Amino acid sequence: MALCAVIGSLTRPAPHFAAANGEGVSLCLFDDATGALERIGAPLRLEDSTWLVAAPAQQRVYAVTDCDDGRQSAVAALSVNAAEGVLTLISTQPAGGSDGCHASLSSDKAALFVANYGGHRTTGPDFGVAIVPLDATGVEPASFRLRHEGHGPNTARQESPHAHCVLPSPDGRFLFVADLGIDQLVAYALDGAQPVRRPALDVSFPAGLGPRHFLFSADGRFVYVVSELIPTVVALSYDGATGVMRELASIAIPAPAGGALQPAGIVVHPDGRHLFVSLRLSEEILVLAIDPATGIPAISSRHDAGGRTPRDLTVSPSGRHLLVANQDSDCVSVFAIDPASAALSGPVSRLAIGTPMAVVLANFA
Protein backbone atom coordinates (compact mmCIF):
# COMPACT_ATOMS: atom_id res chain seq x y z
CA MET A 1 0.00 0.00 0.00
CA ALA A 2 1.25 3.49 -0.85
CA LEU A 3 0.67 6.27 1.67
CA CYS A 4 -0.21 9.26 -0.46
CA ALA A 5 -0.81 12.91 0.25
CA VAL A 6 -3.24 14.71 -2.02
CA ILE A 7 -2.98 18.50 -1.99
CA GLY A 8 -5.50 20.97 -3.36
CA SER A 9 -4.55 24.53 -4.23
CA LEU A 10 -6.00 27.89 -5.19
CA THR A 11 -5.58 28.62 -8.89
CA ARG A 12 -7.44 31.92 -9.36
CA PRO A 13 -7.45 35.17 -7.38
CA ALA A 14 -10.49 35.70 -5.18
CA PRO A 15 -11.69 38.48 -2.85
CA HIS A 16 -10.94 36.36 0.24
CA PHE A 17 -7.38 35.37 -0.76
CA ALA A 18 -4.27 37.43 -1.32
CA ALA A 19 -2.62 35.05 -3.78
CA ALA A 20 -3.40 32.21 -6.16
CA ASN A 21 -0.27 30.42 -7.30
CA GLY A 22 -1.62 26.88 -7.42
CA GLU A 23 -1.66 24.44 -10.30
CA GLY A 24 -4.60 22.26 -9.25
CA VAL A 25 -4.62 18.98 -7.33
CA SER A 26 -1.28 17.23 -6.77
CA LEU A 27 -0.53 13.63 -5.82
CA CYS A 28 2.43 12.98 -3.54
CA LEU A 29 4.14 10.05 -1.85
CA PHE A 30 4.61 10.39 1.90
CA ASP A 31 7.20 8.46 3.89
CA ASP A 32 5.86 8.23 7.43
CA ALA A 33 9.16 6.93 8.74
CA THR A 34 11.10 10.06 7.77
CA GLY A 35 8.43 12.66 7.02
CA ALA A 36 9.63 13.03 3.42
CA LEU A 37 6.99 14.33 1.01
CA GLU A 38 7.56 13.97 -2.74
CA ARG A 39 5.29 15.03 -5.56
CA ILE A 40 4.67 12.38 -8.22
CA GLY A 41 3.24 12.98 -11.67
CA ALA A 42 1.80 16.23 -12.98
CA PRO A 43 -0.88 18.23 -11.16
CA LEU A 44 -4.46 17.79 -12.34
CA ARG A 45 -5.74 21.23 -13.30
CA LEU A 46 -8.84 21.77 -11.18
CA GLU A 47 -9.86 25.29 -10.26
CA ASP A 48 -9.66 26.35 -6.63
CA SER A 49 -9.64 23.03 -4.77
CA THR A 50 -10.47 24.25 -1.28
CA TRP A 51 -11.24 20.91 0.39
CA LEU A 52 -10.49 17.24 -0.26
CA VAL A 53 -12.10 14.01 0.94
CA ALA A 54 -10.27 10.71 0.48
CA ALA A 55 -12.10 7.47 -0.30
CA PRO A 56 -9.20 4.99 -0.61
CA ALA A 57 -11.40 1.88 -0.84
CA GLN A 58 -12.81 3.30 -4.06
CA GLN A 59 -9.43 4.68 -5.19
CA ARG A 60 -10.97 8.14 -5.25
CA VAL A 61 -10.63 11.64 -3.94
CA TYR A 62 -13.50 14.12 -3.94
CA ALA A 63 -12.57 17.78 -4.34
CA VAL A 64 -14.57 20.88 -3.54
CA THR A 65 -13.95 23.13 -6.54
CA ASP A 66 -15.97 25.60 -8.60
CA CYS A 67 -17.67 26.02 -11.97
CA ASP A 68 -19.36 28.78 -14.00
CA ASP A 69 -16.09 30.75 -13.94
CA GLY A 70 -16.06 30.69 -10.17
CA ARG A 71 -19.64 31.84 -9.71
CA GLN A 72 -20.73 28.49 -8.23
CA SER A 73 -19.03 25.85 -6.13
CA ALA A 74 -18.87 22.28 -7.36
CA VAL A 75 -17.74 18.77 -6.41
CA ALA A 76 -15.35 16.74 -8.54
CA ALA A 77 -14.64 13.00 -8.34
CA LEU A 78 -11.02 12.04 -9.07
CA SER A 79 -9.58 8.58 -9.54
CA VAL A 80 -6.18 7.90 -7.97
CA ASN A 81 -3.52 5.70 -9.57
CA ALA A 82 -0.72 5.77 -7.02
CA ALA A 83 1.47 3.32 -8.91
CA GLU A 84 1.64 5.61 -11.94
CA GLY A 85 1.25 8.88 -10.07
CA VAL A 86 -1.85 9.87 -11.99
CA LEU A 87 -5.01 11.72 -10.95
CA THR A 88 -7.91 11.57 -13.41
CA LEU A 89 -11.05 13.69 -13.39
CA ILE A 90 -14.12 11.42 -13.53
CA SER A 91 -17.01 13.87 -13.23
CA THR A 92 -18.08 17.22 -11.75
CA GLN A 93 -21.40 18.53 -10.45
CA PRO A 94 -22.48 21.97 -9.18
CA ALA A 95 -23.00 22.25 -5.42
CA GLY A 96 -25.69 24.92 -5.44
CA GLY A 97 -23.81 27.69 -3.67
CA SER A 98 -20.67 29.80 -3.77
CA ASP A 99 -17.27 29.57 -2.11
CA GLY A 100 -17.41 25.87 -1.25
CA CYS A 101 -15.14 25.25 1.73
CA HIS A 102 -15.79 21.81 3.28
CA ALA A 103 -17.19 18.36 2.55
CA SER A 104 -17.59 14.99 4.24
CA LEU A 105 -18.75 11.51 3.31
CA SER A 106 -21.99 10.00 4.52
CA SER A 107 -21.58 7.00 6.80
CA ASP A 108 -22.55 4.62 3.97
CA LYS A 109 -20.16 6.38 1.52
CA ALA A 110 -23.10 6.91 -0.84
CA ALA A 111 -23.18 10.71 -0.69
CA LEU A 112 -21.07 13.76 -0.04
CA PHE A 113 -22.19 16.60 2.21
CA VAL A 114 -20.89 19.99 1.04
CA ALA A 115 -20.67 23.32 2.89
CA ASN A 116 -20.78 26.54 0.85
CA TYR A 117 -19.49 29.61 2.68
CA GLY A 118 -21.37 31.96 0.32
CA GLY A 119 -24.94 33.04 0.67
CA HIS A 120 -24.19 36.75 0.72
CA ARG A 121 -24.13 37.08 -3.05
CA THR A 122 -26.94 38.73 -4.97
CA THR A 123 -26.49 36.64 -8.10
CA GLY A 124 -26.14 32.91 -8.57
CA PRO A 125 -27.17 30.07 -6.26
CA ASP A 126 -26.90 30.67 -2.54
CA PHE A 127 -27.58 27.33 -0.85
CA GLY A 128 -25.33 26.82 2.16
CA VAL A 129 -25.36 23.00 2.23
CA ALA A 130 -25.76 20.44 -0.55
CA ILE A 131 -26.00 16.66 -0.64
CA VAL A 132 -24.32 15.14 -3.70
CA PRO A 133 -24.96 11.43 -4.38
CA LEU A 134 -22.02 9.25 -5.39
CA ASP A 135 -22.02 6.30 -7.79
CA ALA A 136 -19.70 4.25 -9.97
CA THR A 137 -19.49 7.09 -12.48
CA GLY A 138 -18.46 9.66 -9.91
CA VAL A 139 -20.79 12.40 -8.65
CA GLU A 140 -24.46 12.84 -9.51
CA PRO A 141 -26.52 16.05 -9.47
CA ALA A 142 -27.26 17.37 -5.99
CA SER A 143 -30.24 15.59 -4.45
CA PHE A 144 -30.86 18.16 -1.74
CA ARG A 145 -29.88 21.78 -1.10
CA LEU A 146 -30.66 23.93 1.89
CA ARG A 147 -29.99 27.38 3.29
CA HIS A 148 -29.89 28.81 6.77
CA GLU A 149 -31.33 32.14 7.89
CA GLY A 150 -30.07 34.87 10.18
CA HIS A 151 -26.92 36.86 10.89
CA GLY A 152 -24.52 37.69 13.70
CA PRO A 153 -23.20 40.86 15.34
CA ASN A 154 -19.94 40.99 13.35
CA THR A 155 -21.15 43.06 10.40
CA ALA A 156 -18.02 42.39 8.34
CA ARG A 157 -18.21 38.60 8.60
CA GLN A 158 -21.70 37.72 9.84
CA GLU A 159 -23.97 39.69 7.54
CA SER A 160 -25.60 36.39 6.54
CA PRO A 161 -25.25 32.64 7.19
CA HIS A 162 -21.89 31.11 6.26
CA ALA A 163 -21.82 27.30 6.43
CA HIS A 164 -18.20 26.34 7.04
CA CYS A 165 -18.11 22.67 8.09
CA VAL A 166 -20.59 19.82 7.67
CA LEU A 167 -20.31 16.39 9.33
CA PRO A 168 -22.61 13.44 9.96
CA SER A 169 -22.78 12.00 13.46
CA PRO A 170 -20.66 8.87 13.97
CA ASP A 171 -23.70 6.61 13.53
CA GLY A 172 -24.97 8.56 10.50
CA ARG A 173 -28.32 9.46 12.10
CA PHE A 174 -27.74 13.21 12.28
CA LEU A 175 -26.06 15.93 10.25
CA PHE A 176 -24.47 18.97 11.90
CA VAL A 177 -23.35 22.17 10.18
CA ALA A 178 -21.03 24.76 11.73
CA ASP A 179 -22.38 28.10 10.51
CA LEU A 180 -19.91 30.91 11.13
CA GLY A 181 -22.44 33.58 10.20
CA ILE A 182 -25.10 32.71 12.76
CA ASP A 183 -22.96 31.29 15.61
CA GLN A 184 -24.55 27.84 15.59
CA LEU A 185 -24.11 24.15 15.00
CA VAL A 186 -27.27 23.53 12.97
CA ALA A 187 -28.79 20.03 13.30
CA TYR A 188 -30.62 17.77 10.87
CA ALA A 189 -31.95 14.22 11.15
CA LEU A 190 -30.89 11.77 8.43
CA ASP A 191 -33.43 9.03 9.12
CA GLY A 192 -35.55 9.61 6.00
CA ALA A 193 -35.24 10.27 2.30
CA GLN A 194 -34.31 13.91 2.96
CA PRO A 195 -32.68 15.67 5.92
CA VAL A 196 -35.12 17.13 8.42
CA ARG A 197 -34.34 20.12 10.64
CA ARG A 198 -34.00 19.34 14.34
CA PRO A 199 -33.82 22.78 16.03
CA ALA A 200 -33.91 21.19 19.48
CA LEU A 201 -30.46 19.72 18.74
CA ASP A 202 -28.91 23.00 17.57
CA VAL A 203 -25.99 24.36 19.58
CA SER A 204 -25.86 28.14 19.99
CA PHE A 205 -22.56 29.86 20.77
CA PRO A 206 -21.87 33.31 22.22
CA ALA A 207 -22.72 36.06 19.74
CA GLY A 208 -19.84 36.80 17.38
CA LEU A 209 -17.84 33.64 18.16
CA GLY A 210 -17.86 32.44 14.54
CA PRO A 211 -17.66 28.60 14.72
CA ARG A 212 -15.55 27.41 11.80
CA HIS A 213 -14.66 23.71 12.00
CA PHE A 214 -15.51 20.86 14.35
CA LEU A 215 -14.89 17.15 14.77
CA PHE A 216 -16.12 14.16 16.77
CA SER A 217 -13.79 12.25 19.06
CA ALA A 218 -12.91 8.72 17.94
CA ASP A 219 -15.26 7.19 20.51
CA GLY A 220 -18.06 9.60 19.56
CA ARG A 221 -18.51 10.94 23.09
CA PHE A 222 -17.18 14.44 22.49
CA VAL A 223 -17.23 17.22 19.91
CA TYR A 224 -14.52 19.86 19.52
CA VAL A 225 -15.26 23.17 17.78
CA VAL A 226 -12.75 25.84 16.76
CA SER A 227 -14.07 29.35 16.19
CA GLU A 228 -12.53 31.91 13.87
CA LEU A 229 -13.85 35.32 14.91
CA ILE A 230 -13.26 35.02 18.67
CA PRO A 231 -10.40 32.48 18.86
CA THR A 232 -11.73 29.64 21.00
CA VAL A 233 -11.88 25.86 21.26
CA VAL A 234 -15.22 24.65 22.62
CA ALA A 235 -15.57 21.12 24.04
CA LEU A 236 -19.02 19.50 24.00
CA SER A 237 -20.33 16.19 25.23
CA TYR A 238 -22.33 14.19 22.69
CA ASP A 239 -25.16 11.76 23.42
CA GLY A 240 -25.28 9.39 20.46
CA ALA A 241 -28.71 8.07 21.43
CA THR A 242 -30.41 11.47 21.34
CA GLY A 243 -28.06 13.66 19.30
CA VAL A 244 -27.86 16.18 22.17
CA MET A 245 -24.65 18.18 22.68
CA ARG A 246 -23.83 20.02 25.89
CA GLU A 247 -20.97 22.44 26.44
CA LEU A 248 -18.24 21.22 28.77
CA ALA A 249 -15.64 23.95 28.45
CA SER A 250 -14.63 26.95 26.39
CA ILE A 251 -10.89 27.46 26.00
CA ALA A 252 -9.84 30.93 24.87
CA ILE A 253 -6.80 31.02 22.59
CA PRO A 254 -4.57 33.92 23.69
CA ALA A 255 -3.08 36.08 20.97
CA PRO A 256 0.66 36.74 21.07
CA ALA A 257 1.69 40.00 22.71
CA GLY A 258 0.72 42.87 20.45
CA GLY A 259 -0.51 40.49 17.78
CA ALA A 260 -3.61 38.80 16.46
CA LEU A 261 -4.63 35.33 15.42
CA GLN A 262 -7.31 33.66 13.36
CA PRO A 263 -7.91 29.92 13.83
CA ALA A 264 -8.49 27.77 10.76
CA GLY A 265 -8.31 23.97 11.03
CA ILE A 266 -8.62 21.44 13.82
CA VAL A 267 -7.60 17.75 13.84
CA VAL A 268 -7.32 15.07 16.49
CA HIS A 269 -4.29 12.81 17.00
CA PRO A 270 -4.95 9.09 16.44
CA ASP A 271 -4.27 8.50 20.13
CA GLY A 272 -7.40 10.55 20.92
CA ARG A 273 -5.47 12.50 23.56
CA HIS A 274 -4.40 15.59 21.62
CA LEU A 275 -5.81 18.23 19.29
CA PHE A 276 -3.96 20.41 16.79
CA VAL A 277 -5.28 23.80 15.66
CA SER A 278 -3.80 25.98 12.92
CA LEU A 279 -3.56 29.68 13.77
CA ARG A 280 -3.32 32.20 10.97
CA LEU A 281 -1.88 35.70 11.51
CA SER A 282 0.24 34.42 14.42
CA GLU A 283 1.45 31.62 12.07
CA GLU A 284 1.34 28.90 14.72
CA ILE A 285 0.15 25.40 15.46
CA LEU A 286 -1.59 25.03 18.80
CA VAL A 287 -1.42 21.69 20.64
CA LEU A 288 -4.05 20.82 23.23
CA ALA A 289 -4.01 17.82 25.59
CA ILE A 290 -7.37 16.15 26.25
CA ASP A 291 -8.22 14.92 29.74
CA PRO A 292 -9.26 11.28 29.12
CA ALA A 293 -11.71 11.31 32.02
CA THR A 294 -13.59 14.50 31.17
CA GLY A 295 -12.84 15.01 27.48
CA ILE A 296 -11.84 18.62 28.21
CA PRO A 297 -8.74 19.91 26.39
CA ALA A 298 -6.12 22.32 27.71
CA ILE A 299 -3.43 24.17 25.78
CA SER A 300 -0.13 22.32 26.14
CA SER A 301 2.23 23.92 23.59
CA ARG A 302 2.48 26.32 20.63
CA HIS A 303 4.78 26.02 17.65
CA ASP A 304 5.81 27.98 14.58
CA ALA A 305 3.78 26.70 11.61
CA GLY A 306 6.76 26.63 9.25
CA GLY A 307 5.17 29.19 6.94
CA ARG A 308 2.56 31.89 6.56
CA THR A 309 -1.20 31.38 6.85
CA PRO A 310 -1.42 27.77 8.05
CA ARG A 311 -4.79 26.60 6.82
CA ASP A 312 -5.55 22.89 6.60
CA LEU A 313 -3.60 20.25 8.52
CA THR A 314 -3.64 16.48 8.93
CA VAL A 315 -1.96 13.83 11.08
CA SER A 316 -0.43 10.72 9.56
CA PRO A 317 -2.25 7.46 10.44
CA SER A 318 0.63 6.37 12.68
CA GLY A 319 0.52 9.64 14.60
CA ARG A 320 4.18 10.33 13.84
CA HIS A 321 3.80 13.41 11.68
CA LEU A 322 1.68 16.51 11.16
CA LEU A 323 1.31 18.02 7.68
CA VAL A 324 0.45 21.73 7.48
CA ALA A 325 -0.71 23.57 4.33
CA ASN A 326 0.88 27.03 4.60
CA GLN A 327 -1.27 28.91 2.14
CA ASP A 328 0.73 32.12 1.70
CA SER A 329 4.19 30.54 1.85
CA ASP A 330 3.45 28.18 -1.05
CA CYS A 331 4.51 25.10 0.89
CA VAL A 332 3.38 22.12 2.92
CA SER A 333 5.46 21.71 6.08
CA VAL A 334 5.88 18.36 7.83
CA PHE A 335 6.53 18.14 11.58
CA ALA A 336 7.51 15.24 13.80
CA ILE A 337 5.12 14.63 16.72
CA ASP A 338 6.42 13.65 20.14
CA PRO A 339 4.60 10.41 21.09
CA ALA A 340 4.06 11.48 24.70
CA SER A 341 3.33 15.21 24.63
CA ALA A 342 2.41 15.69 20.94
CA ALA A 343 4.84 18.62 20.89
CA LEU A 344 6.12 19.34 17.38
CA SER A 345 9.68 19.41 16.09
CA GLY A 346 10.93 20.44 12.68
CA PRO A 347 9.81 21.01 10.04
CA VAL A 348 11.49 17.78 9.08
CA SER A 349 10.61 18.41 5.43
CA ARG A 350 8.91 20.96 3.19
CA LEU A 351 7.24 20.61 -0.19
CA ALA A 352 7.07 23.68 -2.42
CA ILE A 353 3.54 23.94 -3.84
CA GLY A 354 1.55 27.00 -4.87
CA THR A 355 -1.16 28.27 -2.48
CA PRO A 356 -2.03 24.96 -0.77
CA MET A 357 -5.56 24.96 0.65
CA ALA A 358 -6.21 21.34 1.65
CA VAL A 359 -4.21 18.19 2.32
CA VAL A 360 -5.34 14.61 2.97
CA LEU A 361 -3.41 11.40 3.62
CA ALA A 362 -4.62 7.95 2.62
CA ASN A 363 -3.37 4.50 1.71
CA PHE A 364 -4.01 3.88 -1.98
CA ALA A 365 -3.14 0.47 -3.41
Side-chain angles (χ1 to χ4, degrees), residues 99-315:
D99 302 325
C101 55
H102 188 267
S104 60
L105 280 170
S106 62
S107 56
D108 60 5
K109 309 296 189 292
L112 201 70
F113 304 115
V114 185
N116 296 310
Y117 179 87
H120 58 292
R121 297 189 175 184
T122 57
T123 60
D126 67 348
F127 291 98
V129 180
I131 299 179
V132 178
L134 308 175
D135 64 11
T137 63
V139 289
E140 298 180 357
S143 62
F144 187 77
R145 298 180 297 180
L146 53 95
R147 59 170 62 88
H148 300 154
E149 301 294 336
H151 61 85
N154 186 325
T155 55
R157 295 293 308 278
Q158 294 182 310
E159 78 294 345
S160 69
H162 293 304
H164 216 306
C165 181
V166 54
L167 288 174
S169 60
D171 62 7
R173 294 172 54 224
F174 301 101
L175 184 70
F176 295 95
V177 183
D179 196 309
L180 181 147
I182 61 175
D183 295 317
Q184 285 187 331
L185 283 185
V186 183
Y188 296 83
L190 293 173
D191 54 0
Q194 300 286 5
V196 178
R197 278 285 285 119
R198 289 288 184 264
L201 301 180
D202 291 353
V203 178
S204 295
F205 298 101
L209 196 75
R212 178 182 170 96
H213 279 193
F214 70 101
L215 54 82
F216 287 89
S217 62
D219 61 10
R221 297 171 53 220
F222 304 104
V223 174
Y224 300 102
V225 184
V226 64
S227 62
E228 178 176 345
L229 305 184
I230 301 175
T232 310
V233 173
V234 181
L236 305 157
S237 64
Y238 179 68
D239 185 333
T242 64
V244 171
M245 297 184 191
R246 301 191 187 281
E247 183 174 327
L248 297 172
S250 181
I251 299 92
I253 305 174
L261 56 84
Q262 190 179 68
I266 183 169
V267 293
V268 64
H269 192 279
D271 66 10
R273 297 185 292 110
H274 297 92
L275 296 168
F276 301 93
V277 175
S278 55
L279 303 177
R280 297 168 295 181
L281 303 182
S282 66
E283 324 301 12
E284 295 175 288
I285 303 300
L286 183 73
V287 183
L288 300 98
I290 300 172
D291 184 315
T294 65
I296 296 175
I299 296 172
S300 61
S301 60
R302 300 172 76 138
H303 307 270
D304 186 279
R308 289 183 296 115
T309 319
R311 189 176 177 89
D312 192 26
L313 68 173
T314 190
V315 183

Side-chain angles (χ1 to χ4, degrees), residues 16-39:
H16 305 297
F17 304 105
N21 305 315
E23 300 174 273
V25 182
S26 299
L27 182 63
C28 307
L29 287 179
F30 179 67
D31 185 338
D32 202 13
T34 65
L37 185 62
E38 174 189 7
R39 185 154 30 175

